[in-house]
Amino acid sequence: MHLLARVTDKLLFAVLLLAALQVPILADHYRQYLSGYYDGLQEQADTIKQLAIDYHYSSIEALLADLANNADPVVREDARNKIATLARLSELETGLDALSNGAYYQQAWYMFAPARKNTLLRVLDNFSPSVPLSPEPVVFSILFATLLNMLIWSPVWVGKHFYTWYKERRERFKFG
């Protein structure tokens, strides 16, 4: 029985380690995906900025406010789309910063946030597992896998120690 538990523990740790090693690789794929999307939105933002300059607006915001107050509903809708584009560009900058400069857990927190589920699924479509080559992600993956393994096994350890303690107490106070 002890052999089975030890083998199961080691297999669980191996699976957790392999999964944890994928986080930095996935973060790199995710960053590349966001970079491409960011470049496309940046071109649109540059076009909006050039429109503001060409038509002598003091800022992009002034141009968009003027478009949003236009009588034509198509122009107002276009203004809303441009505002949404600029807001998304700002969100992408935050995400790229987290994925490029963030620690292991910050990258994981950003990628696995429920609000970004659709993006993660698109990135996973083109993801192929591999092993990171730099030491920092490997160390963080080992630490994370160890911690998670201990967390998973702790109820078993506590239950085993409680059962042993209960059995000793029961035999000690046995009347008969």
Side-chain angles (χ1 to χ4, degrees), residues 10-167:
K10 286 173 182 36
L11 283 174
L12 179 63
F13 176 75
V15 168
L16 291 172
L17 179 60
L18 288 174
L21 283 169
Q22 299 314 301
V23 171
I25 303 299
L26 183 61
D28 189 45
H29 281 71
Y30 202 106
R31 184 183 48 77
Q32 290 174 9
Y33 176 85
L34 288 187
S35 289
Y37 190 35
Y38 177 84
D39 290 344
L41 288 181
Q42 185 62 53
E43 284 183 25
Q44 290 181 9
D46 290 344
T47 302
I48 297 168
K49 183 178 180 181
Q50 191 58 48
L51 277 174
I53 292 169
D54 290 348
Y55 290 95
H56 309 292
Y57 282 93
S58 60
S59 66
I60 294 174
E61 290 78 17
L63 168 67
L64 295 176
D66 194 27
L67 291 175
N69 293 327
N70 194 294
D72 192 350
V74 173
V75 175
R76 288 194 308 267
E77 184 64 29
D78 186 48
R80 282 192 288 273
N81 290 338
K82 286 176 175 23
I83 291 168
T85 298
L86 294 175
R88 184 71 179 131
L89 187 65
S90 178
E91 291 173 21
L92 287 175
E93 287 173 352
T94 303
L96 285 171
D97 183 53
L99 294 171
S100 298
N101 304 320
Y104 179 89
Y105 65 91
Q106 291 169 322
Q107 293 173 351
W109 187 265
Y110 180 82
M111 290 186 302
F112 298 122
R116 291 182 268 288
K117 180 182 107 177
N118 292 334
T119 304
L120 180 62
L121 291 174
R122 284 193 298 269
V123 171
L124 285 172
D125 284 343
N126 297 315
F127 178 72
S128 55
S130 59
V131 177
L133 299 177
S134 56
E136 184 179 330
V138 172
V139 170
F140 276 114
S141 297
I142 291 170
L143 291 174
F144 181 72
T146 302
L147 180 66
L148 197 55
N149 191 39
M150 289 172 58
L151 189 65
I152 290 170
W153 281 102
S154 63
V156 174
W157 297 330
V158 169
K160 180 181 173 188
H161 288 327
F162 178 76
Y163 178 75
T164 304
W165 175 84
Y166 176 74
K167 200 165 107 179

